[in-house]
């Protein structure tokens, strides 16, 4: 067992998402206050070949995933929490040849919905590429959802 169970759950959750594996995402930091994921720069995610700028869809995927996995930072047990709503405001394009980090925190947890907010950045969190707010539906720890995904995230015990 890890000294940081939030980090361990976040890493298990991320490793169960195939599209995140393909993009090379990794958990940079995870604690009760929030989660940071890293999206490495690669030629696969370039949106404009002339400039090398990352496609906005890759940033959207990073931020949806970061907000969704941030739910493990506040919930005592794993729950399937699909995205209800996600809004991203892009401030500027990401600089080519640099990794992008996504940070998210859960700022309100209700019986049915978890509200998140965060930002994407490269070198400095005070200079965001984008801001995000999201809402995630709580399905409860007993929800069926995708049984295989749930089993992988919980380490084999569904």
């Amino acid at each position: 067992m890890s000294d940081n169970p939030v980090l361990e759950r976040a890493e298990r959750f991320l490793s169960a998402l195939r599209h995140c594996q393909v993009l090379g995402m990794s958990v940079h930091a995870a604690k009760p206050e929030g989660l940071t994921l890293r999206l490495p720069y690669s030629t696969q995610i370039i949106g404009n070949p002339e400039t090398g700028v990352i496609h906005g869809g890759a940033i959207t995927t990073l931020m949806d995933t970061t907000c969704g996995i941030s739910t493990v930072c506040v919930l005592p047990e794993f729950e399937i929490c699909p995205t209800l709503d996600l809004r991203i405001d892009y401030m500027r394009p990401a600089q080519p040849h640099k990794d992008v980090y996504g940070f998210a925190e859960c700022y309100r947890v209700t019986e049915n919905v978890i509200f998140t907010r965060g930002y994407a950045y490269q070198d400095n969190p005070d200079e965001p590429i984008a801001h995000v707010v999201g809402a995630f539906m709580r399905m409860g720890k007993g929800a069926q959802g995708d049984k295989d995904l749930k089993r992988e995230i919980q380490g084999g015990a569904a």
Side-chain angles (χ1 to χ4, degrees):
M1 185 78 176
S2 167
D3 289 342
N4 184 343
V6 173
L7 175 64
E8 188 176 293
R9 287 195 323 175
E11 286 175 339
R12 276 199 319 262
F13 196 149
L14 185 64
S15 71
L17 303 173
R18 180 70 182 131
H19 65 286
C20 295
Q21 294 170 5
V22 170
L23 291 170
M25 285 187 202
S26 61
V27 177
H28 182 71
K31 47 193 166 192
E33 298 79 31
L35 172 76
T36 304
L37 298 183
R38 181 179 72 88
L39 172 65
Y41 184 86
S42 76
T43 56
Q44 293 176 307
I45 60 173
I46 292 174
N48 183 338
E50 291 181 17
T51 64
V53 171
I54 295 173
H55 191 282
I59 305 293
T60 298
T61 300
L62 170 67
M63 296 315 299
D64 185 31
T65 304
T66 305
C67 287
I69 296 177
S70 74
T71 61
V72 305
C73 296
V74 297
L75 295 175
E77 295 183 48
F78 175 76
E79 293 181 33
I80 294 174
C81 299
T83 308
L84 283 173
D85 184 52
L86 191 75
R87 176 193 164 106
I88 300 178
D89 294 323
Y90 288 93
M91 305 288 126
R92 60 184 177 81
Q95 294 177 8
H97 309 290
K98 291 185 176 184
D99 296 348
V100 179
Y101 295 86
F103 170 80
E105 65 180 343
C106 300
Y107 67 93
R108 179 149 165 71
V109 178
T110 71
E111 185 177 326
N112 298 309
V113 180
I114 298 176
F115 297 91
T116 65
R117 61 182 164 216
Y119 49 87
Y121 67 96
Q122 286 178 303
D123 298 323
N124 184 349
D126 294 328
E127 297 175 6
I129 296 164
H131 286 270
V132 63
V133 292
F136 294 79
M137 181 172 56
R138 292 186 70 181
M139 306 222 7
K141 65 181 181 181
Q144 295 302 304
D146 184 334
K147 289 182 184 180
D148 293 333
L149 175 63
K150 188 172 181 180
R151 190 173 10 265
E152 279 187 57
I153 293 167
Q154 292 181 321

